[in-house]
Structure formats: C-alpha cells, structure tokens
Amino acid sequence: RKEVEQDPGPFNVPEGATVAFNCTYSNSASQSFFWYRQDCRKEPKLLMSVYSSGNEDGRFTAQLNRASQYISLLIRDSKLSDSATYLCVVNMGEGNKLTFGTGTQLKVEL
Amino acid sequence: DVKVTQSSRYLVKRTGEKVFLECVQDMDHENMFWYRQDPGLGLRLIYFSYDVKMKEKGDIPEGYSVSREKKERFSLILESASTNQTSMYLCASRGPDRRIQYFGAGTRLSVL
C-alpha cells in the first residue's frame, strides 16, 4: 500500500461545477497535511494546509478525518484556471520529510 | 519572494557520465531537498540537507550523492548516469515555516 494514495483522475468538470478529491494516508502518526498544486510543466506550490477542524480559503475547502486517515479538497465554482494536478502531501512525523501523493489531475472545461 | 534556481531546465547525458545538478536558493533557508518526479510515482525524495555539510538519505538515494558546501547551494550528483535515471528532478528549500517547500522549476534529465 502506498503511503499517500490519490485517484489520478483526470476529473473533467464543466466550469462552475463543484469537485472533490480525496486522499488516504497509511501512517496514523502523521502530523500535518497539505494540498499542493502543480500546473503542467511547472513546479508544485503550496495551495493550503489542512487543519483538524477543517479550513476554507475562498472557493477551496480542506478537511481532515484522522479516524479514517483521509483528507479531502473541495473546489466550488470551478474556474478554467483551476485546471492542474493537486498533490496530497503528508508530514508523517519523520523530521523534515514530506511524503507526496502522485496527484489528482483536474481539467475544467467550458 | 523566495527564489529557488536550478541551473538547467533540460539536460541530455550519456550512460556512464557523471552528472551535476545544481540548486541555489536566496532566502537563507536551512533545509534543502532533492526529488525526482516520474509519471505514476509522484515526487520521491532522494536526499535532503538540514544544514551546511549535513545530508540525509531520502527514500531513493541509490545511484545519487549530494553536496552542501554552502548554505545556499545544494548539488545532486549522479556518479555514473544510467537510463533509469531519466526523470524530472526538482530541488526545494524550506525555511522557518515548515508547511512550505519552495520548488525550483525542475531539470528534465534524459540519459541516453
């Protein structure tokens, strides 16, 4: 089993749709969680952290379920510019290391 | 703005060559990382460094070494390049905010 697992997609959605991605992690001792975004042929960049109580940043909502060991990202009112690969990232408590999922590809279409 | 600069965007080398990938960051960050990214496998950590002259193996260090002689520079070395090292290599640095790793634009290495 992969340490951080994501559905690779692609998720093809129309503009304005709501879309959600899930990610599961294997290590119950994991300490912190993030979503990064990677545009085609570009480097990953931090999108948002994921907090235990859930958190929102504009159209983006992140949730953490420690009991089931998954995190989610919800995007409301999708824009064409949201098209990218979304990487689930987990700090499993091993000091400086982050473990990256393989990413979920989102394509927002007209 | 944090800037992480990788010396080459594209590189083509022959099997058996020694390859140096250079990474420089301008924010006085202590932590630096080298990853490779492959389709279906995501980003995998090769080596990281938490201070000058300090290094630790990541998940896939075999066939690689690193050098951190100065705080701003972290080099990845392929001692004898092989075709299975064809990949996208990404360097990252991290400062006091442990949430954020700042990535360079990547080096796409082809080993023929």
Side-chain angles (χ1 to χ4, degrees):
Chain A
R1 184 186 172 188
K2 288 182 183 176
E3 292 182 298
V4 178
E5 204 144 2
Q6 297 181 251
D7 182 342
F11 285 58
N12 298 307
V13 302
E15 231 183 341
T18 296
V19 62
F21 312 132
N22 284 337
C23 161
T24 58
Y25 58 94
S26 61
N27 187 341
S28 59
S30 296
Q31 297 179 348
S32 47
F33 310 87
F34 313 94
W35 286 101
Y36 274 64
R37 170 190 168 132
Q38 186 172 22
D39 292 307
C40 187
R41 299 188 183 281
K42 299 275 191 172
E43 70 274 21
K45 293 184 180 178
L46 177 68
L47 177 67
M48 61 195 299
S49 301
V50 186
Y51 300 119
S52 298
S53 54
N55 49 298
E56 197 172 295
D57 182 1
R59 297 181 293 107
F60 298 83
T61 301
Q63 301 240 316
L64 167 64
N65 184 320
R66 282 195 183 271
S68 301
Q69 293 179 210
Y70 78 82
I71 70 174
S72 64
L73 178 68
L74 181 81
I75 306 175
R76 289 183 300 279
D77 188 22
S78 300
K79 312 288 185 195
L80 293 175
S81 57
D82 294 334
S83 298
T85 295
Y86 291 84
L87 304 173
C88 173
V89 184
V90 178
N91 180 330
M92 297 195 169
E94 295 172 34
N96 290 308
K97 288 175 54 176
L98 295 179
T99 301
F100 288 77
T102 54
T104 297
Q105 189 180 10
L106 172 66
K107 296 181 180 179
V108 181
E109 302 162 333
L110 285 170
Chain B
D1 249 7
V2 175
K3 196 163 177 64
V4 179
T5 303
Q6 294 184 229
S7 52
S8 307
R9 288 300 305 273
Y10 300 95
L11 214 50
V12 180
K13 295 292 180 182
R14 294 194 182 279
T15 303
E17 277 193 77
K18 190 167 186 175
V19 182
F20 292 87
L21 302 183
E22 306 285 348
C23 175
V24 177
Q25 49 94 2
D26 65 358
M27 281 301 290
D28 201 37
H29 285 171
E30 290 185 345
N31 297 314
M32 295 188 74
F33 307 82
W34 273 107
Y35 296 88
R36 63 178 283 178
Q37 187 174 28
D38 301 286
L41 296 175
L43 274 87
R44 292 180 291 166
L45 182 64
I46 304 171
Y47 267 97
F48 63 100
S49 168
Y50 48 87
D51 205 348
V52 176
K53 297 192 187 295
M54 307 297 278
K55 60 185 179 185
E56 282 200 32
K57 293 180 180 179
D59 299 317
I60 51 162
E62 296 78 21
Y64 304 94
S65 62
V66 289
S67 172
R68 184 116 182 252
E69 295 297 317
K70 294 184 178 181
K71 195 173 188 180
E72 67 270 19
R73 186 180 296 270
F74 191 33
S75 304
L76 180 70
I77 303 153
L78 287 66
E79 296 290 341
S80 177
S82 62
T83 54
N84 63 12
Q85 292 179 309
T86 292
S87 186
M88 169 68 85
Y89 289 88
L90 288 157
C91 173
S93 76
R94 185 174 71 189
D97 187 343
R98 293 170 66 86
R99 299 175 304 154
I100 309 174
Q101 288 193 10
Y102 297 90
F103 285 85
T107 297
R108 189 167 291 281
L109 172 67
S110 296
V111 182
L112 306 177

